[in-house]
Each structure stands twice: as C-alpha cells, then as structure tokens.
Amino acid sequence: MCSNDSFYLGSVNDELICVCPLHKFGSQCMFTSACPTNICQNNGTCIPADVTTPDSSYTCVCPDQFFGVNCQYAKVKLDVFLIDMHIPSYIAAYFFTLSNKSDPMQAIILRKLTLFQHTATFHVSVPFHMAIIQSSGKYYLAVLQQTLHTNITTSIRPSQECIPAEQLLNSTVMKMVQYRRIIFFHILCHTHTDLMCFIDPAYLCLCTSDRHANCMEFKRDRNFQCSLTKNCANGAQCVQDHPVCPSTRICICPACFFGEECQFYTKGLGSTLDEILGYELKRNTILSKQPITVKVSAAITMIIFAVGLINCILSIM
C-alpha cells in the first residue's frame, strides 16, 4: 500500500509505516510536496515542509562551507598546516569567541587526517578570537586575534605547544584546589619569558605581553569516545565531537583497513592507490584545484599511458 518510491517498514495496530522520500508525504507517501524554486543558496539541499504539520516550513541542508536558513552565509575558513610534527589519526580544534559581557563561547570540530596529509581545513559559523589545536594529546596555540577575519591560514609547530602545568609546577602546588593553584599561574608567566600558553587540568592560560596569566575554564581531559561502537567496522576506534548530539564522527582504523568506516581492507605487502589517494580526492573539483598528490599521480598515470600507447604502435609497426 506504500507508494513505489517509498520504503515499507511494517505495521503497528493494523496501520502501515511508510518511509517517504524527500518529495513525498502522507501515511502512504502518495502526496507530493515541493520546495520553493532556488530557495536554498550555495548548492544547499532543500527538504520540503511536512504539510500535515501546522506552521511547518522547508529546511535547507547546507554544505560545510555555508550556514543560515537558506545557506546564505559563508562560514569562517581556517587552514592549519602541521610543521615538523607527527601526523596523527585526527586532530581536534577548539574555537573561542571572547566577550567582556559573557563567558567565552566554545566550539569543537574534529578532522580526520590521512596518509601524507599535513593540512586540515575547518569551517566555523561563528567568528572566533582564539583557536587551539589538539594533536596526539598535546595542545597548540594556532590563532590569537583581536580583529576578526573570515579566511585564515596558519601553522602549528612544536614551539607553539601549550605546556602542561605539571611540567612547570611542583606536585605540592598541583595537589592544591583550583582557586589556590591560580595564584601560581602569574608567577609562571613572569619567570618563563618565552612561555606563550600553558594548560592545567581545569584551565587554559595565555601569557599576556605584560607577563600576566589570562586564564579561562577548559576541560583538558575530554573524552571523545563514541557512546555506540557500531558506527565503525572491523574493530575501529570511534570518536565524536559531542557525547549526546555529535555533528562529526570519525573512525580511527586499525592496520590494513581504510575508508570512512574502516570498511576496506588492504591486501598484499604494499599500499593501493585507493588507500593513498582515496581521501585526497575532492568531489566536484577540477584537476587544477586538487591536492598536489592527486596532480602528480594523474600526471604519472598519463605519462605511463602515453609511453605504453607509443610502445604498442611501434610494436605493431
């Protein structure tokens, strides 16, 4: 009894349960709904309104670079280069928007890194004053700005690490309660003239130009583990940016597995082009704007093809 393009899930109390496609609605998915023409901007996908629900409206699902009711606003773009650092499986970016009238606003975004990838791109809907990058359990100061910019390119290196407070303070001070421990933070900035930032189990502190400690509450030992293990295949580790309502999930693959859900297996002794370049390819992007690894691989492939073609022609002659 469901429409041909819908999915019959079953029945409850002699009532059908039909799962409708985006453009259909009704108990049997027989009625057609539509979005206003070109209502979603910047290649956003429109989900029609459910006319059976009062005051319902269409919804635009935006690409990662845009946001807004109609995807009309561009997000702030941040490109981060990892210099002289081990490339981890993923990195976490903490974005802080500071204000004198309220507590700092914080946003967290996770990014998976792949083979040979030294750059990560983040898109943030809210302009930020400070960005901290977490990589392999260490924290790095990536961006600190007073004037808000919408397109930022920066790099992180070992010299930008926010040193753990345990390495700077003795065990007696670290055992003190939080509000008593803060007193010693100013001493750290005053005695260590090259210290940019340091991180405590409960605070993140910056050393100002006049060598005072400017601190904010920050949960250092944050758990990104997924509540469910079924999101990843083949025993992969699952991490997400929020414990209840995540916007990003990442699968950390074990050896010899790759893919968004670690669903592919690499056989043999070497690595396949699928494994090396599978994450590098950008969808709906021309070759000239692809990463350098893709360009080089494409060039080598075309050269091999041309040489093979010439060799075949000469062999036939």
Side-chain angles (χ1 to χ4, degrees), residues 100-138:
N100 293 328
K101 299 180 181 179
S102 63
D103 293 334
M105 295 175 56
Q106 179 179 329
I108 305 175
I109 300 179
L110 303 182
R111 281 289 179 269
K112 185 174 184 176
L113 299 183
T114 57
L115 194 63
F116 308 127
Q117 182 179 350
H118 294 266
T119 307
T121 300
F122 301 90
H123 295 93
V124 191
S125 57
V126 179
F128 57 90
H129 296 91
M130 183 172 65
I132 299 291
I133 303 296
Q134 178 186 354
S135 173
S136 301
K138 297 182 179 181

Short mmCIF file of all heavy atoms in Angstrom, two decimals, residues 100-138:
data_model
loop_
_atom_site.label_atom_id
_atom_site.label_comp_id
_atom_site.label_asym_id
_atom_site.label_seq_id
_atom_site.Cartn_x
_atom_site.Cartn_y
_atom_site.Cartn_z
N ASN A 100 33.54 40.64 26.87
CA ASN A 100 33.59 41.20 28.22
C ASN A 100 32.26 41.08 28.94
O ASN A 100 32.18 41.33 30.15
CB ASN A 100 34.02 42.67 28.17
CG ASN A 100 35.45 42.84 27.70
OD1 ASN A 100 36.29 41.99 27.96
ND2 ASN A 100 35.71 43.94 27.00
N LYS A 101 31.20 40.72 28.21
CA LYS A 101 29.87 40.69 28.79
C LYS A 101 29.41 39.28 29.15
O LYS A 101 28.39 39.13 29.81
CB LYS A 101 28.86 41.30 27.80
CG LYS A 101 29.16 42.76 27.46
CD LYS A 101 28.12 43.30 26.49
CE LYS A 101 28.42 44.76 26.12
NZ LYS A 101 27.43 45.29 25.16
N SER A 102 30.13 38.26 28.72
CA SER A 102 29.71 36.89 29.00
C SER A 102 30.92 35.97 29.00
O SER A 102 32.04 36.38 28.67
CB SER A 102 28.70 36.41 27.95
OG SER A 102 29.29 36.39 26.66
N ASP A 103 30.70 34.72 29.40
CA ASP A 103 31.77 33.73 29.37
C ASP A 103 32.15 33.42 27.92
O ASP A 103 31.34 33.60 27.01
CB ASP A 103 31.32 32.45 30.07
CG ASP A 103 31.10 32.66 31.57
OD1 ASP A 103 31.74 33.57 32.12
OD2 ASP A 103 30.29 31.92 32.16
N PRO A 104 33.37 32.94 27.69
CA PRO A 104 33.78 32.61 26.32
C PRO A 104 32.88 31.54 25.70
O PRO A 104 32.49 30.58 26.36
CB PRO A 104 35.22 32.11 26.50
CG PRO A 104 35.68 32.67 27.80
CD PRO A 104 34.46 32.76 28.66
N MET A 105 32.55 31.74 24.43
CA MET A 105 31.81 30.73 23.67
C MET A 105 32.82 29.76 23.05
O MET A 105 33.85 30.18 22.52
CB MET A 105 30.96 31.38 22.58
CG MET A 105 29.85 32.26 23.10
SD MET A 105 28.99 33.10 21.74
CE MET A 105 28.50 31.69 20.73
N GLN A 106 32.52 28.48 23.14
CA GLN A 106 33.45 27.46 22.68
C GLN A 106 32.78 26.52 21.69
O GLN A 106 31.64 26.12 21.88
CB GLN A 106 33.99 26.65 23.86
CG GLN A 106 34.95 25.55 23.47
CD GLN A 106 35.47 24.80 24.68
OE1 GLN A 106 35.62 25.36 25.75
NE2 GLN A 106 35.74 23.52 24.52
N ALA A 107 33.49 26.21 20.60
CA ALA A 107 33.03 25.24 19.61
C ALA A 107 34.16 24.24 19.35
O ALA A 107 35.34 24.61 19.38
CB ALA A 107 32.62 25.93 18.32
N ILE A 108 33.80 22.99 19.10
CA ILE A 108 34.77 21.92 18.89
C ILE A 108 34.49 21.27 17.53
O ILE A 108 33.34 20.94 17.22
CB ILE A 108 34.71 20.86 20.00
CG1 ILE A 108 34.90 21.51 21.37
CG2 ILE A 108 35.77 19.79 19.77
CD1 ILE A 108 34.72 20.53 22.52
N ILE A 109 35.54 21.08 16.73
CA ILE A 109 35.43 20.41 15.44
C ILE A 109 36.54 19.37 15.34
O ILE A 109 37.71 19.67 15.64
CB ILE A 109 35.52 21.40 14.27
CG1 ILE A 109 34.39 22.44 14.35
CG2 ILE A 109 35.45 20.67 12.94
CD1 ILE A 109 34.44 23.48 13.25
N LEU A 110 36.20 18.17 14.92
CA LEU A 110 37.17 17.11 14.70
C LEU A 110 37.45 16.96 13.21
O LEU A 110 36.57 17.13 12.38
CB LEU A 110 36.65 15.77 15.24
CG LEU A 110 36.26 15.70 16.72
CD1 LEU A 110 35.82 14.30 17.08
CD2 LEU A 110 37.41 16.13 17.61
N ARG A 111 38.70 16.64 12.88
CA ARG A 111 39.08 16.39 11.50
C ARG A 111 39.97 15.15 11.44
O ARG A 111 40.93 15.02 12.18
CB ARG A 111 39.82 17.59 10.90
CG ARG A 111 38.92 18.72 10.47
CD ARG A 111 38.12 18.36 9.24
NE ARG A 111 37.24 19.45 8.83
CZ ARG A 111 36.00 19.60 9.25
NH1 ARG A 111 35.48 18.72 10.11
NH2 ARG A 111 35.26 20.61 8.84
N LYS A 112 39.64 14.26 10.50
CA LYS A 112 40.45 13.07 10.28
C LYS A 112 41.58 13.40 9.31
O LYS A 112 41.36 14.05 8.29
CB LYS A 112 39.57 11.94 9.73
CG LYS A 112 40.29 10.60 9.59
CD LYS A 112 39.32 9.52 9.18
CE LYS A 112 39.99 8.17 9.11
NZ LYS A 112 39.03 7.08 8.79
N LEU A 113 42.78 12.94 9.64
CA LEU A 113 43.94 13.16 8.78
C LEU A 113 44.31 11.84 8.12
O LEU A 113 44.16 10.77 8.71
CB LEU A 113 45.12 13.70 9.58
CG LEU A 113 44.89 15.05 10.26
CD1 LEU A 113 46.17 15.51 10.95
CD2 LEU A 113 44.42 16.11 9.27
N THR A 114 44.81 11.93 6.92
CA THR A 114 45.12 10.74 6.13
C THR A 114 46.60 10.72 5.78
O THR A 114 47.37 11.60 6.16
CB THR A 114 44.29 10.72 4.85
OG1 THR A 114 44.54 11.92 4.11
CG2 THR A 114 42.81 10.65 5.17
N LEU A 115 46.98 9.68 5.06
CA LEU A 115 48.37 9.48 4.69
C LEU A 115 48.89 10.69 3.91
O LEU A 115 48.27 11.16 2.97
CB LEU A 115 48.49 8.22 3.84
CG LEU A 115 49.88 7.64 3.62
CD1 LEU A 115 50.49 7.21 4.93
CD2 LEU A 115 49.81 6.47 2.66
N PHE A 116 50.04 11.24 4.33
CA PHE A 116 50.71 12.38 3.69
C PHE A 116 49.94 13.70 3.86
O PHE A 116 50.28 14.68 3.20
CB PHE A 116 50.96 12.14 2.19
CG PHE A 116 51.65 10.84 1.89
CD1 PHE A 116 51.12 9.95 0.98
CD2 PHE A 116 52.82 10.51 2.53
CE1 PHE A 116 51.76 8.75 0.69
CE2 PHE A 116 53.47 9.31 2.26
CZ PHE A 116 52.94 8.44 1.34
N GLN A 117 48.92 13.75 4.68
CA GLN A 117 48.14 14.98 4.81
C GLN A 117 48.72 15.84 5.93
O GLN A 117 48.72 15.44 7.09
CB GLN A 117 46.67 14.67 5.12
CG GLN A 117 45.79 15.92 5.22
CD GLN A 117 44.34 15.59 5.49
OE1 GLN A 117 43.95 14.43 5.43
NE2 GLN A 117 43.56 16.61 5.79
N HIS A 118 49.20 17.03 5.58
CA HIS A 118 49.79 17.96 6.54
C HIS A 118 48.92 19.20 6.73
O HIS A 118 49.34 20.13 7.43
CB HIS A 118 51.19 18.38 6.08
CG HIS A 118 52.18 17.25 6.07
ND1 HIS A 118 53.02 16.96 7.14
CD2 HIS A 118 52.44 16.30 5.13
CE1 HIS A 118 53.77 15.91 6.85
NE2 HIS A 118 53.44 15.50 5.63
N THR A 119 47.75 19.24 6.13
CA THR A 119 46.88 20.40 6.21
C THR A 119 45.47 19.96 6.58
O THR A 119 44.98 18.95 6.07
CB THR A 119 46.84 21.16 4.86
OG1 THR A 119 48.17 21.46 4.45
CG2 THR A 119 46.06 22.46 5.01
N ALA A 120 44.86 20.72 7.46
CA ALA A 120 43.46 20.47 7.84
C ALA A 120 42.68 21.77 7.67
O ALA A 120 43.18 22.85 7.99
CB ALA A 120 43.36 19.99 9.28
N THR A 121 41.45 21.67 7.14
CA THR A 121 40.60 22.83 6.90
C THR A 121 39.37 22.75 7.79
O THR A 121 38.72 21.70 7.86
CB THR A 121 40.18 22.91 5.43
OG1 THR A 121 41.36 23.02 4.61
CG2 THR A 121 39.30 24.14 5.19
N PHE A 122 39.07 23.84 8.45
CA PHE A 122 37.90 23.92 9.33
C PHE A 122 37.00 25.06 8.85
O PHE A 122 37.49 26.11 8.40
CB PHE A 122 38.32 24.19 10.79
CG PHE A 122 39.23 23.15 11.37
CD1 PHE A 122 40.60 23.26 11.25
CD2 PHE A 122 38.71 22.04 12.02
CE1 PHE A 122 41.45 22.30 11.79
CE2 PHE A 122 39.55 21.07 12.56
CZ PHE A 122 40.91 21.21 12.44
N HIS A 123 35.68 24.86 8.97
CA HIS A 123 34.71 25.89 8.67
C HIS A 123 33.86 26.12 9.91
O HIS A 123 33.22 25.19 10.42
CB HIS A 123 33.83 25.48 7.49
CG HIS A 123 34.58 25.36 6.20
ND1 HIS A 123 35.10 24.16 5.75
CD2 HIS A 123 34.90 26.27 5.25
CE1 HIS A 123 35.72 24.35 4.60
NE2 HIS A 123 35.61 25.61 4.27
N VAL A 124 33.85 27.37 10.39
CA VAL A 124 33.18 27.70 11.65
C VAL A 124 32.14 28.78 11.37
O VAL A 124 32.42 29.77 10.68
CB VAL A 124 34.20 28.22 12.70
CG1 VAL A 124 33.56 28.31 14.07
CG2 VAL A 124 35.43 27.33 12.74
N SER A 125 30.94 28.59 11.90
CA SER A 125 29.85 29.53 11.63
C SER A 125 29.95 30.80 12.45
O SER A 125 29.37 31.82 12.08
CB SER A 125 28.50 28.85 11.90
OG SER A 125 28.43 28.37 13.22
N VAL A 126 30.69 30.78 13.56
CA VAL A 126 30.82 31.95 14.44
C VAL A 126 32.25 32.46 14.38
O VAL A 126 33.20 31.68 14.56
CB VAL A 126 30.44 31.59 15.89
CG1 VAL A 126 30.59 32.80 16.79
CG2 VAL A 126 29.01 31.06 15.95
N PRO A 127 32.49 33.76 14.13
CA PRO A 127 33.85 34.30 14.17
C PRO A 127 34.49 34.07 15.54
O PRO A 127 33.82 34.12 16.57
CB PRO A 127 33.65 35.79 13.88
CG PRO A 127 32.34 35.87 13.17
CD PRO A 127 31.49 34.79 13.75
N PHE A 128 35.78 33.82 15.55
CA PHE A 128 36.46 33.45 16.79
C PHE A 128 37.69 34.31 17.00
O PHE A 128 38.27 34.85 16.05
CB PHE A 128 36.84 31.96 16.77
CG PHE A 128 37.71 31.57 15.61
CD1 PHE A 128 39.09 31.62 15.70
CD2 PHE A 128 37.15 31.15 14.41
CE1 PHE A 128 39.89 31.27 14.63
CE2 PHE A 128 37.94 30.79 13.33
CZ PHE A 128 39.32 30.85 13.44
N HIS A 129 38.09 34.42 18.27
CA HIS A 129 39.29 35.17 18.62
C HIS A 129 40.50 34.26 18.83
O HIS A 129 41.63 34.71 18.67
CB HIS A 129 39.06 35.98 19.90
CG HIS A 129 38.02 37.04 19.77
ND1 HIS A 129 36.69 36.82 20.07
CD2 HIS A 129 38.11 38.32 19.36
CE1 HIS A 129 36.00 37.94 19.86
NE2 HIS A 129 36.84 38.86 19.43
N MET A 130 40.25 33.02 19.20
CA MET A 130 41.36 32.12 19.52
C MET A 130 41.01 30.71 19.07
O MET A 130 39.86 30.29 19.14
CB MET A 130 41.63 32.14 21.04
CG MET A 130 42.82 31.29 21.46
SD MET A 130 43.25 31.50 23.20
CE MET A 130 41.79 30.85 23.99
N ALA A 131 42.03 30.00 18.59
CA ALA A 131 41.88 28.61 18.17
C ALA A 131 43.01 27.79 18.76
O ALA A 131 44.19 28.16 18.66
CB ALA A 131 41.88 28.49 16.64
N ILE A 132 42.64 26.68 19.40
CA ILE A 132 43.59 25.74 19.99
C ILE A 132 43.44 24.42 19.25
O ILE A 132 42.33 23.92 19.06
CB ILE A 132 43.33 25.54 21.49
CG1 ILE A 132 43.49 26.86 22.25
CG2 ILE A 132 44.26 24.48 22.07
CD1 ILE A 132 44.91 27.38 22.31
N ILE A 133 44.56 23.84 18.83
CA ILE A 133 44.56 22.56 18.12
C ILE A 133 45.10 21.48 19.05
O ILE A 133 46.19 21.63 19.63
CB ILE A 133 45.41 22.62 16.84
CG1 ILE A 133 44.90 23.74 15.91
CG2 ILE A 133 45.39 21.28 16.12
CD1 ILE A 133 43.51 23.53 15.39
N GLN A 134 44.34 20.41 19.19
CA GLN A 134 44.77 19.25 19.97
C GLN A 134 45.24 18.17 19.01
O GLN A 134 44.51 17.73 18.13
CB GLN A 134 43.64 18.72 20.84
CG GLN A 134 44.00 17.48 21.64
CD GLN A 134 42.82 16.89 22.39
OE1 GLN A 134 41.74 17.47 22.40
NE2 GLN A 134 43.01 15.75 23.01
N SER A 135 46.49 17.72 19.20
CA SER A 135 47.08 16.71 18.35
C SER A 135 47.89 15.75 19.20
O SER A 135 48.80 16.18 19.93
CB SER A 135 47.97 17.34 17.28
OG SER A 135 48.67 16.37 16.54
N SER A 136 47.54 14.47 19.16
CA SER A 136 48.25 13.42 19.91
C SER A 136 48.35 13.76 21.40
O SER A 136 49.41 13.57 22.02
CB SER A 136 49.65 13.21 19.32
OG SER A 136 49.57 12.83 17.96
N GLY A 137 47.27 14.28 21.96
CA GLY A 137 47.24 14.58 23.38
C GLY A 137 47.91 15.87 23.79
O GLY A 137 47.93 16.22 24.97
N LYS A 138 48.45 16.63 22.82
CA LYS A 138 49.09 17.91 23.11
C LYS A 138 48.26 19.04 22.52
O LYS A 138 47.52 18.84 21.55
CB LYS A 138 50.51 17.95 22.54
CG LYS A 138 51.45 16.92 23.17
CD LYS A 138 52.86 17.04 22.61
CE LYS A 138 53.79 16.03 23.25
NZ LYS A 138 55.18 16.14 22.72
#
